[in-house]
Amino acid sequence: MGAWELLLVGVVILFGLCGVLVPGVPGSWLVWAAVLWWALKDPRPVAWGVLVGATVALLLCQVVRWALPPRRLREAGATPRMAVYAGVGAFLGFVLVPVVGAIPGFMGGIYLCERLRLGGHGEARAALRTAMRSGGWSVLAELFTCLLIAGAWAGAELWG
């Protein structure tokens, strides 16, 4: 697979990661489609292993999301700015504290956004709790799964 094709796969994965945070965009399926395209163009065993792992992870994520309460983030006061803070926090947490850092990074991003908006610690904590109860766990589960898939793809491409 050439450099331009790899770059395009990476861009589609990045769009998928951003799409998880935007309502109505099938972000997780964009990530899966990019990994499928990569595996079809680069038929090494590691590529097929990443594709199978991505498929299983996304199916498990869908089961977890169905078990969680439905998303009602807009009614709870979530804004696009909050989604950006949460997404950047999750990504930074995923990179700085590999894998498990995405969870506190996501929640820290929401807290920081609300702290800047509301000004106080107590109000920001209450807003974080409201956001997580209103569907934040569902978004976090999907984003975490997509970050795992993106990390597996990057790892397979760099070291595989």
Side-chain angles (χ1 to χ4, degrees), residues 3-84:
W4 288 107
E5 289 175 318
L6 279 176
L7 180 65
L8 197 54
V9 168
V11 167
V12 172
I13 288 175
L14 185 62
F15 282 151
L17 288 172
C18 293
V20 168
L21 301 171
V22 178
V25 176
S28 56
W29 298 112
L30 280 173
V31 171
W32 181 81
V35 172
L36 173 67
W37 179 29
W38 170 69
L40 290 173
K41 291 293 223 170
D42 189 9
R44 295 178 296 158
V46 70
W48 288 102
V50 170
L51 177 63
V52 168
T55 304
V56 169
L58 282 175
L59 290 175
L60 286 173
C61 176
Q62 293 301 315
V63 169
V64 168
R65 285 186 55 219
W66 286 326
L68 292 171
R71 292 183 186 184
R72 296 181 312 267
L73 291 169
R74 292 282 176 227
E75 293 86 12
T79 62
R81 180 179 171 197
M82 181 189 294
V84 169

Side-chain angles (χ1 to χ4, degrees), residues 88-126:
V88 169
F91 179 76
L92 288 176
F94 189 82
V95 171
L96 295 175
V97 181
V99 182
V100 296
I103 297 167
F106 181 85
M107 294 171 63
I110 293 174
Y111 174 81
L112 179 62
C113 178
E114 292 302 299
R115 179 75 188 248
L116 294 174
R117 184 176 71 91
L118 299 172
H121 171 70
E123 295 90 358
R125 278 187 56 200

